[in-house]
Amino acid sequence: QMDVVEDSGQLISFLDRERNTQKLSADGIALTYKMAELLKVKAGDQVKWHLYGEENWTKATVEALYYAPTVQGISVTESYFTGTKRAFKPTQILTKQSKVKKSDGIISIYSQKKMRKSVTDRLQTVNLLIGILILAAVLMAFVVLYCLGIISFTEKYQELATLKVLGFKTRRLRGLLLLQNLYLTIAGIPFGFMFGYYLMETSMEHMGDSFDILIRITPQNLAASGIGTLLISLGVSLFFSRRVQMIDMVSALKSSE
């Protein structure tokens, strides 16, 4: 896709991946990061382009790279576009005014207020989906940790019965199981971070050439994930460790014979 922006288009901002404003140059073109990666070019390189249906190619210098999450392509200024001996015919209008009369050739008119509302609505939908995924992940983690805890408890059933015979209190045994599970959880969290990042990166790479979704992981995100995992592990451990008080020492030790 190619976007031609008026030289005075102050309502449209082009940002890099660090959210710094990129200014379009009248001497060349601007490419999206994903498009530049697909073409294996960088700022300062030269490329050839043409409009759909044209046969003549135009040679241009890549003056800037900008970030676009969903639509990849080229953006140029009106001055550059008309300088290639092409007629500039606007088809879309972005304005601060609430009402604008549609003229010939104009396909759609967007107000700044409506676009902000549209983006806000989409973000709310995305946040809802993220919330559902987080809830599903919590439930799955609870089920998996509980099943692993039951398996571990079953394997240690005779050992726990022996410790009870030797005088260990139920509270002490529950504490030992709790510490064991917490240590294993803490040891597994770094591996979970690495696998999660790899999974996200792989998923984003296979979303297609039109999407360029950035993965930003902050220390706050890591801390929240780690603490959340510890809390889930603690809750599961407290839940199944109550089985310690139901250990039948006689039957457990007889079965070992």
Side-chain angles (χ1 to χ4, degrees):
Q1 176 176 318
M2 185 172 192
D3 295 321
V4 182
V5 183
E6 287 185 333
D7 297 334
S8 59
Q10 300 178 355
L11 299 182
I12 300 178
S13 298
F14 295 88
L15 307 177
D16 61 15
R17 284 178 170 169
E18 302 301 325
R19 302 198 177 192
N20 299 315
T21 303
Q22 297 287 93
K23 187 176 181 180
L24 298 185
S25 173
D27 300 325
I29 65 174
L31 283 178
T32 59
Y33 283 101
K34 188 66 173 288
M35 179 65 70
E37 292 172 1
L38 293 173
L39 297 177
K40 298 181 180 179
V41 298
K42 59 183 183 300
D45 292 346
Q46 289 190 331
V47 297
K48 290 183 178 180
W49 63 272
H50 71 89
L51 296 177
Y52 181 77
E54 289 186 356
E55 296 183 357
N56 297 327
W57 291 79
T58 301
K59 192 173 183 179
T61 302
V62 180
E63 296 289 341
L65 300 178
Y66 67 96
Y67 173 68
T70 55
V71 180
Q72 310 305 316
I74 302 173
S75 291
V76 298
T77 61
E78 178 185 356
S79 299
Y80 171 82
F81 188 76
T82 54
T84 61
K85 298 180 181 180
R86 293 178 173 87
F88 178 60
K89 298 178 181 179
T91 57
Q92 296 180 342
I93 295 177
L94 176 61
T95 177
K96 289 184 177 180
Q97 301 178 17
S98 58
K99 294 183 180 180
V100 178
K101 185 178 180 181
K102 184 180 291 188
S103 58
D104 294 338
I106 302 299
I107 299 175
S108 54
I109 298 175
Y110 303 96
S111 68
Q112 193 178 38
K113 183 178 180 181
K114 287 183 178 180
M115 288 196 70
R116 286 179 176 174
K117 184 179 184 301
S118 176
V119 172
T120 301
D121 293 341
R122 280 183 288 178
L123 288 177
Q124 289 178 349
T125 303
V126 171
N127 290 334
L128 177 61
L129 292 175
I130 292 175
I132 294 174
L133 290 176
I134 292 175
L135 179 60
V138 170
L139 293 176
M140 185 174 66
F142 184 88
V143 172
V144 171
L145 289 175
Y146 182 77
C147 291
L148 291 176
I150 293 298
I151 294 173
S152 177
F153 178 80
T154 303
E155 292 177 348
K156 294 180 174 61
Y157 189 81
Q158 293 179 353
E159 298 176 10
L160 294 172
T162 302
L163 291 175
K164 289 193 73 172
V165 171
L166 294 176
F168 279 77
K169 301 295 184 181
T170 300
R171 186 174 181 181
R172 175 61 175 167
L173 294 177
R174 292 185 64 180
L176 291 174
L177 290 175
L178 180 62
L179 285 176
Q180 176 188 347
N181 292 328
L182 289 179
Y183 287 151
L184 291 175
T185 302
I186 293 172
I189 285 176
F191 295 98
F193 287 158
M194 291 186 289
F195 177 75
Y197 183 83
Y198 173 76
L199 182 62
M200 291 177 62
E201 194 174 41
T202 304
S203 300
M204 295 301 104
E205 289 177 354
H206 290 81
M207 289 186 67
D209 296 339
S210 298
F211 295 92
D212 185 16
I213 308 299
L214 295 180
I215 301 175
R216 294 190 181 275
I217 299 178
T218 63
Q220 292 82 358
N221 298 142
L222 296 177
S225 300
I227 293 173
T229 303
L230 283 174
L231 291 177
I232 294 173
S233 178
L234 178 62
V236 172
S237 300
L238 291 174
F239 185 76
F240 77 78
S241 64
R242 294 181 299 177
R243 291 173 173 262
V244 173
Q245 62 187 3
M246 296 185 292
I247 293 177
D248 188 346
M249 295 178 286
V250 176
S251 62
L253 295 178
K254 278 186 177 181
S255 62
S256 63
E257 297 175 359

